[in-house]
Structures are given as structure tokens and as C-alpha cells.
Amino acid sequence: MEKPSNTLKKIYHPSKEVKKRANVKDYEPLYQESISNREDFWAKEAKRLEWFRKWDKVLDASNHPFYEWFQGGRINIVHNALDRHQKNATRNKLAIIWEGEPGDLRTFSYHALHREVSRFANVLKSMGARPGEVITIYMPQIPETVIAMLACAKIGAIHSVVYGGFSVEALAERIEDANSRILVTADGGFRRGKAVGLKSIANEAMKRSPTIEVCITVKRTGEECYMENDRDFWYHDLMSMPLACTDCATVETDAEDPLFILYTSGTTGKPKGLVHTHGGYAVYTASTFRYVFDIKPEDRFWCAADPGWVTGHSYMVYGPLINGATMMMYEGAPNHPYPNRWWQMIEKYGINILYTSPTAIRGLMRFGPSWADRHNLSSLRLLGSVGEPINPEAWKWYYEVIGKGRCPIMDTWWQTETGGHMITPLPVIPLKPGSATKPFFGNEMAIVDDKGNEVKTGEEGNLVIKNP
């Protein structure tokens, strides 16, 4: 067995097959172009999307450090994630494959997802939802979470998704800060074979946050829960009414109009609400998803993050849908009822790309290779890591046991604040375990001391992003 020091030093070069398939054959020339002609580069990327009105200026830096992207442009991210796909063959392609922890299965084509989003958007409008207001979503990992997010964006409302594992206090604090009038939740979800209640937590949070006037609840577990007259409504009841029709126009938003608020975890103080906008966020998530994961029309992509985190927003919902990809969703724990649950689903659904966290990898690694080895994982062609640095030992296990030595690992570094990958490999970049390798296009990075001076190679310092 190699010592950790040797593992650290080893460089893994892309195979001929990977190079041949790659959308980007050579990183360096395109990176240099993105730095020397940054605005032209992002204009080209923005032109891949559909705009109601083209921007007047790609980047307005007149009020720096408060920059504006695609100034004057009119767009809606849902038009690009759903509406425009209705005009081509993507309409009949699978958008979502969802498996619940008990084993139930649901799928949505792009046409079906567009229909459900339009229907729920009309439900929200019937409840008085308007452009610019913040709607809080507190849900398990079920398709209705994605539907609710997209429905909010479609009508110009701002969604604030709160992770379904958060406490009463965390939910109440986020509702209060956002001044939400509408809450979308579920009776509960399944985790490790048990029904975990969410509506009871939501009820207590609403007591502490009296701004909520409407609470819409998805029936997932069937557990009994308290429903208050004139405030609480069942999702399935509303969706069965004539008001939930499939005809709903997508609101034109300004490129700088807010799309969502996502709160940081609050581990170092009060949670801070990060805002991302329709224009810049749509361009950046679409571009990073396409280049980093080298997406192909036939791919089935699985981002195992929860929608309550930014990874779920960018690379489970918006990035894949804008690019017309098929995404996988799974409700429960990775090792329930046995440690082969993930590998079983990869084989069952023919997943091509898996994007998950080092914590999940280490959790499954401790069961050894035998659980993965009993499944055919040959559909996989690319792996990804997100959320924290991946230690070389876990990287190597992921690469050899899951990827069978042929799947490059996209070890991505970014934050809630950035909305998308900042430092990341592409499939053609040589890989070093534990290293996120190179900046993504358009980004200049530096390591500086506490006074802002760049340090010498090999010295530690603070990582900074030099440009907007």
C-alpha cells in the first residue's frame, strides 16, 4: 500500500478516452481568453441562454465593489430551465428521476415538470403571491421541493429554502428575517426507515414568526399533523382545483432581480442571507455545470446534495435544467437499509455522473469495497466532490473503488456566496488527490498575507478572488 505522502505526490493524467470525449480539449487557451477578454467571454456564455431583452452592458463596475452583471437585460431563469425546452425534443426527455427512501419511484419529463410548475405557480398566485416577495420552503428531498422553487421563480417571487433538518429556532429565524408570508412544507419525510415530522416543526416556527399567513403542506408520510383553519392548506387539494391550471406566463425579471435568498448556517453568528439574481446566476451555473461536468445530452446526473444547500440549488436544480440534463434525486440516507443503496441506484438508473461530499464518501468507505463491487458501476464516467476538502485517502478510494480508475474526479471549491464553482478541474486537467487544481474560467485567484501582498509559491496565506 502506498504511504499517504506518495499518494499526495502522484498526478493522475486524463486517459485518451476522456480527452476525446471532453467538451473542452485544452483548458489554458480558453482560460487566458476568459481573463484577457472577460466581458466578451461572459457575453458569449450569456448568449447560450434566451433573454427577453438583451443587456446593455455585460459588467457595470461604476459602483464597485457593488457590481452589476448584464445591466438592462431582461430574463427569467425558469424560462431557460423549462419554457424554452418545450419547443424542442428536450420536452419529452426525463428531467427528474426520483426515488424515495422506502423505494417508491416517480419521474417527470421536461413537459410534465413544466406543467406541474405552472400549476403550482397559479396556486401561489391565488394565495396572493407577487413578484419580489420571499416565500420560505421547508421540505424533504422530494420533487415538490424543486417544483416549489421553480414556481416561485416563474412568478418573480424569491424563494428561501431552509434545509429540512434544521430546528424550530433556525426555521423561525429565517422566516422572520425574510418576512415571509407564505410557507411551503410537508408533513414529513423518510430517513433511515422512519417518518421524520416537518409540519410539527413548521407549526411551532409559525407560532414564533407570525408573518406567515398561508402554509401549504405536501402529504408525503401520511402522518397526522395539526392543520389550522384559514392558514393551512394541503398541496394535493389545491393542485386538484381549477385554479391550478397549466397556463401560467413566466414573469420577465431584470437580470439583477433577486432569484433566491439562501442563509449561511449561522455557526459563527446570526445566519446571513445571501442573495443571487436571475441573470448572472443563470449564466454562471449553466456554464460551470456544462464545462466542469462535461455534460452530454444522454447523461444522467446525480447531485446527492439536499436542495436546502447551495449545491442543491446550483447543481441539482438550475444548472442541470438549464442544460436540459436528466437529474437524479434520492430522499433518504446513503446507507439505508444497507451500505449499497447508492451503488444499487447508480446501476439501476444508469447514472453517468455522481457529485457528492467527502463526508458521504468517507461514510461509505468505512464499509469497504465489497458493497460497491457487487454492483455494475460501468455507467459512471465522471465523479465530483463538494462541500469540504477531500482527504487523499478518500479521493483514492472514490477513484479506484467507485470510478474503477477511469472516472476523473472534479474536486470543486466554491461557496454559498459565489453560487458556482470557483476553483475546479475540468476532465482534461491532470488531477492531484486533495487539490482542486485550477480556477474556473474568468476567475483570477491569489494567495496573500494579512496585508494583501501576494505570498511566494509554497507559502500559506489567505485565498482571494481578484476580480468580480
Side-chain angles (χ1 to χ4, degrees):
M1 181 183 287
E2 283 186 349
K3 295 179 181 178
S5 58
N6 292 333
T7 304
L8 274 168
K9 292 176 182 177
K10 184 172 180 179
I11 303 296
Y12 293 76
H13 293 275
S15 67
K16 289 181 181 178
E17 184 182 350
V18 168
K19 288 181 177 179
K20 186 178 179 181
R21 284 181 60 100
N23 291 331
V24 175
K25 308 295 183 188
D26 195 350
Y27 162 84
E28 201 59 39
L30 193 53
Y31 176 72
Q32 291 304 329
E33 179 193 336
S34 75
I35 297 302
S36 58
N37 299 298
R38 183 177 290 111
E39 291 186 34
D40 289 346
F41 176 84
W42 288 119
K44 287 178 187 175
E45 291 301 311
K47 286 175 184 175
R48 295 176 184 268
L49 305 184
E50 286 188 2
W51 296 73
F52 298 122
R53 180 186 184 276
K54 189 184 173 186
W55 56 90
D56 299 317
K57 197 173 186 179
V58 174
L59 174 63
D60 179 13
S62 61
N63 190 31
H64 67 85
F66 302 101
Y67 301 95
E68 289 192 3
W69 286 93
F70 307 108
Q71 190 182 61
R74 303 287 292 177
I75 191 173
N76 187 305
I77 200 167
V78 172
H79 176 78
N80 285 278
L82 289 179
D83 298 357
R84 65 176 179 153
H85 298 314
Q86 307 308 307
K87 299 178 285 186
N88 54 48
T90 306
R91 181 178 191 268
N92 297 318
K93 183 179 178 180
L94 281 182
I96 299 175
I97 301 169
W98 175 83
E99 183 169 302
E101 195 184 71
D104 40 342
L105 170 67
R106 295 164 69 194
T107 60
F108 294 81
S109 67
Y110 272 85
H111 170 64
L113 185 59
H114 179 263
R115 180 191 65 220
E116 295 305 299
V117 168
S118 296
R119 293 175 66 213
F120 191 57
N122 280 322
V123 166
L124 291 175
K125 287 201 293 185
S126 75
M127 295 297 177
R130 60 192 186 279
E133 80 164 282
V134 182
I135 295 173
T136 297
I137 300 169
Y138 181 63
M139 302 265 270
Q141 195 166 156
I142 55 177
E144 285 80 5
T145 309
V146 178
I147 291 167
M149 291 168 69
L150 294 167
C152 290
K154 186 175 180 68
I155 62 173
I158 302 162
H159 59 72
S160 169
V161 182
V162 179
Y163 171 55
F166 276 170
S167 65
V168 168
E169 293 77 14
L171 176 58
E173 195 171 33
R174 285 156 174 79
I175 290 172
E176 185 178 1
D177 187 78
N179 198 30
S180 287
R181 192 178 58 81
I182 299 174
L183 173 66
V184 185
T185 188
D187 56 359
F190 290 101
R191 193 75 178 175
R192 301 193 185 281
K194 295 180 180 178
V196 179
L198 290 182
K199 183 59 164 65
S200 56
I201 295 172
N203 285 340
E204 184 57 37
M206 285 187 283
K207 286 182 185 176
R208 305 183 189 192
S209 304
T211 58
I212 296 294
E213 298 173 8
V214 173
C215 178
I216 300 171
T217 303
V218 176
K219 186 173 282 190
R220 166 63 186 139
T221 63
E223 301 285 304
E224 280 196 27
C225 54
Y226 173 72
M227 302 285 284
E228 185 175 295
N229 285 335
D230 299 328
R231 184 196 70 184
D232 290 342
F233 303 88
W234 286 110
Y235 177 94
H236 62 273
D237 284 344
L238 294 172
M239 291 286 274
S240 67
M241 293 180 177
L243 59 89
C245 64
T246 59
D247 184 18
C248 181
T250 297
V251 170
E252 288 189 21
T253 63
D254 187 87
E256 281 289 318
D257 280 347
L259 166 64
F260 66 83
I261 297 175
L262 193 57
Y263 288 86
T264 56
S265 59
T267 50
T268 56
K270 187 179 178 181
K272 294 168 283 293
L274 277 301
V275 177
H276 285 286
T277 60
H278 276 263
Y281 177 81
V283 173
Y284 200 73
T285 50
S287 301
T288 49
F289 180 80
R290 183 173 59 256
Y291 287 121
V292 174
F293 298 117
D294 198 41
I295 204 71
K296 303 291 191 294
E298 67 274 15
D299 280 333
R300 290 184 167 186
F301 177 85
W302 185 6
C303 171
D306 190 278
W309 308 117
V310 72
T311 302
H313 281 52
S314 298
Y315 301 115
M316 194 183 84
V317 181
Y318 290 114
L321 292 177
I322 293 171
N323 282 280
T326 298
M327 63 169 170
M328 173 76 195
M329 287 182 73
Y330 168 60
E331 176 185 36
N335 58 352
H336 183 84
Y338 301 105
N340 66 329
R341 185 64 185 266
W342 276 16
W343 321 133
Q344 187 182 47
M345 288 190 288
I346 288 170
E347 180 180 28
K348 180 178 178 181
Y349 300 113
I351 303 300
N352 307 113
I353 302 164
L354 174 65
Y355 189 39
T356 188
S357 69
T359 296
I361 294 162
R362 286 190 294 269
L364 293 165
M365 180 180 167
R366 67 189 179 91
F367 295 105
S370 60
W371 290 97
D373 288 345
R374 68 179 63 185
H375 293 282
N376 181 355
L377 304 181
S378 62
S379 62
L380 287 172
R381 67 173 186 86
L382 206 67
L383 301 171
S385 175
V386 63
E388 61 188 290
I390 183 169
N391 56 304
E393 293 74 23
W395 191 101
K396 196 174 178 188
W397 187 88
Y398 196 27
Y399 183 80
E400 293 179 351
V401 175
I402 306 308
K404 309 303 180 188
R406 54 180 175 73
C407 300
I409 297 174
M410 303 297 100
D411 180 6
T412 61
W413 178 84
W414 55 296
Q415 296 172 287
T416 307
E417 289 84 345
T418 69
H421 304 141
M422 300 300 286
I423 303 177
T424 174
L426 301 185
V428 295
I429 291 176
L431 303 174
K432 177 182 174 182
S435 169
T437 69
K438 303 276 190 178
F440 185 72
F441 302 126
N443 295 319
E444 290 180 274
M445 319 298 285
I447 308 296
V448 302
D449 61 23
D450 289 341
K451 294 181 180 178
N453 302 310
E454 291 196 30
V455 302
K456 295 177 182 178
T457 300
E459 291 184 3
E460 290 187 1
N462 305 299
L463 176 63
V464 295
I465 304 161
K466 295 170 72 173
N467 57 281

